[in-house]
Amino acid sequence: MDYIQEMFAERIGGSRFGMSDVIYKFEKIKRSKREAAELHPDMELIDLGVGQPDYMADGDVIRVLSEESAKWENRGYADNGIDEFKKAAAKYMDQVFGVKDIDYETETLHMIGSKAGLTILPQAFINPGDVTLITVPGYPVMGTITEWLGGEKYELPLKEEHDFYPDLDAIPENICKRAKLIYVNYPNNPTGQAATREFFEKLVAFAKKNHIIIVQDAAYAAICLDGQKPLSILSIDGAKDIAVEIHSLSKSYNMTGWRLGFAVGNAKIIAALATVKDNFDAGQFKPIQLAGSYALAHPELTEQMNTVYKRRQKLLCELLAEKGFCVTPSKGTFYLYVKAPTGMADGKTFATAEDFSQYMIREKMISVVPWDDAGHYVRFSLTFHAPTAEIEKEIMDEVRVRLADCEFVFEER
Ligand SMILES: Cc1ncc(COP(=O)(O)O)c(C=O)c1O
């Protein structure tokens, strides 16, 4: 007797769980890559779609992990974190962002990656009927968890005509009244836009006026490609009254699989997060926190990677411009976001960015990620696997060869 099917919670589809034939974007890309590899056995896939660094963590970070793992006192539960990491996080906020007044005990909290932080946050604030404002395209988890809690997400499109910032003035008053959280992410995945002080100031004023908590997803905060200094929302006057920033070591220290990040900001928000978190996990392995503390004390490691990404971005921008794409280099993150072509000179058409990405994977064995949420764009990642500068050039040359017969057309949609 199978009564399991009748028992699934509504939030994951209820009795229809596992039966939907909707294939989500990243699963579709995965399947297309598999099928394309069978169709083109002699061609290697060039993956310009990956969302994680191709380099390994720094050797000294790995050494600290190895040494600390051998110590008896580090074997146990870490619960809500060790002081060494909290202190390192507070110091990092000063050293990298000039945010000086962080009390490490009450205003920082380690996280098992920033994704964990973003899933925990709504559980501390959202009651049924409450609203989370969330930017699209973007990282969706806070919206999903809000809905699971009986709340609603309200999407704020990031459009080119607004420089990929949400149009705060366009949010209806009744939504502002019900909103408890606003999620932003700068530097932004996927648009590559970075925040300005003016935007953050406007956001803080909007949040205070409407009694909303700001969640600034700082997963790419130190990955600046335009020569500007990294910017924290906590450097804005009064932001700490109403904001929390979620940092991650995944992208800035090539530590995606290590699962380490931290929340920093308003002490009441941090206390609520700690209470929820304590019920969900038992803390990250102490040696990982110690290795992370070492990394945070060495922000030059991120700067070294930024040099690599800048070099790759230049190569990719040149190539895409040659093919007719309208390219604006990203200010931050390791993504480049460009308008998808509408078709090709031979008459082929791409109704969506997804159509274009499917063509690239199936016909050219080049993987890129489509975004059709606010306009039709594709995201190219600068994290394609290339251990040296020479290999970076070779990969770009191979892309050039594969696209040699493509004359893309870009029409107004
Ligand atoms: C915008 C954004 N936020 C958060 C995350 C989660 O990162 P992690 O959980 O590895 O810290 C990602 C990962 O891709 C991301 O792109």
Side-chain angles (χ1 to χ4, degrees), residues 115-160:
K115 185 174 191 177
L118 296 170
T119 57
I120 286 170
L121 258 160
Q123 316 207 41
F125 292 100
I126 296 299
N127 288 325
D130 292 339
V131 170
T132 295
L133 306 171
I134 182 161
T135 52
V136 286
Y139 202 65
V141 293
M142 257 184 58
T144 306
I145 304 296
T146 295
E147 289 178 334
W148 284 9
L149 295 165
E152 286 169 38
K153 66 176 179 196
Y154 183 87
E155 295 184 341
L156 310 175
L158 300 180
K159 294 187 182 158
E160 203 159 344

Side-chain angles (χ1 to χ4, degrees), residues 51-52 111-118 138-141 183-190 217-220 246-251 255-262 333-335 379:
Q52 59 176 336
M111 294 282 168
I112 302 184
S114 59
K115 185 174 191 177
L118 296 170
Y139 202 65
V141 293
Y183 166 91
V184 294
N185 158 231
Y186 290 101
N188 181 257
N189 171 15
D217 176 350
Y220 301 86
I246 312 284
H247 286 259
S248 171
L249 280 77
S250 290
K251 322 281 175 163
M255 291 170 70
T256 42
W258 296 51
R259 312 311 303 133
L260 190 60
F262 63 90
T333 74
F334 41 59
Y335 305 114
R379 190 191 77 182

